[in-house]
Amino acid sequence: MVELSRKWSKRGAELANSGRFEQAIDCFDIAIRSEPRYAPAWRNKAAVLIQMGSNKKALKYLDKAIELNPVFAKTWNIKALALQNLGRYAEAVACC
């Protein structure tokens, strides 16, 4: 199932890169349903949510990604960005 999740996550990233955010979110949702323990799908969905201006909602997905893989620096950096966007600067710094 991880391979299927990777495939959908990759497709979601491609769509996000072309500005097709809603379709990207759909792909990440499929990836998450395929393999709920695949942390990159949670993180990538959050990154797209941030691009859409949904920083608070993104934090929920980032926290799940961190729960699944707490040592992945990219997830912490994206969380810091969401917190910064929300004006929660001390928390953002702590993530770095």
Side-chain angles (χ1 to χ4, degrees), residues 15-92:
L15 289 164
N17 288 336
S18 66
R20 297 162 65 187
F21 300 132
E22 294 293 337
Q23 291 172 306
I25 292 289
D26 291 341
C27 289
F28 295 128
D29 286 339
I30 294 168
I32 290 166
R33 282 194 305 272
S34 298
E35 179 50 62
R37 298 199 48 80
Y38 186 62
W42 293 89
R43 181 198 65 233
N44 293 341
K45 180 175 180 174
V48 172
L49 288 168
I50 291 169
Q51 289 180 301
M52 296 171 70
S54 297
N55 293 283
K56 190 171 184 178
K57 187 175 181 180
L59 289 174
K60 175 177 93 169
Y61 294 95
L62 290 163
D63 287 341
K64 181 64 177 181
I66 289 167
E67 175 189 320
L68 294 169
N69 187 352
V71 298
F72 199 49
K74 187 174 185 177
T75 306
W76 286 101
N77 290 337
I78 295 170
K79 183 174 182 177
L81 174 62
L83 290 165
Q84 177 186 334
N85 290 344
L86 292 167
R88 295 165 57 180
Y89 302 114
E91 291 173 86

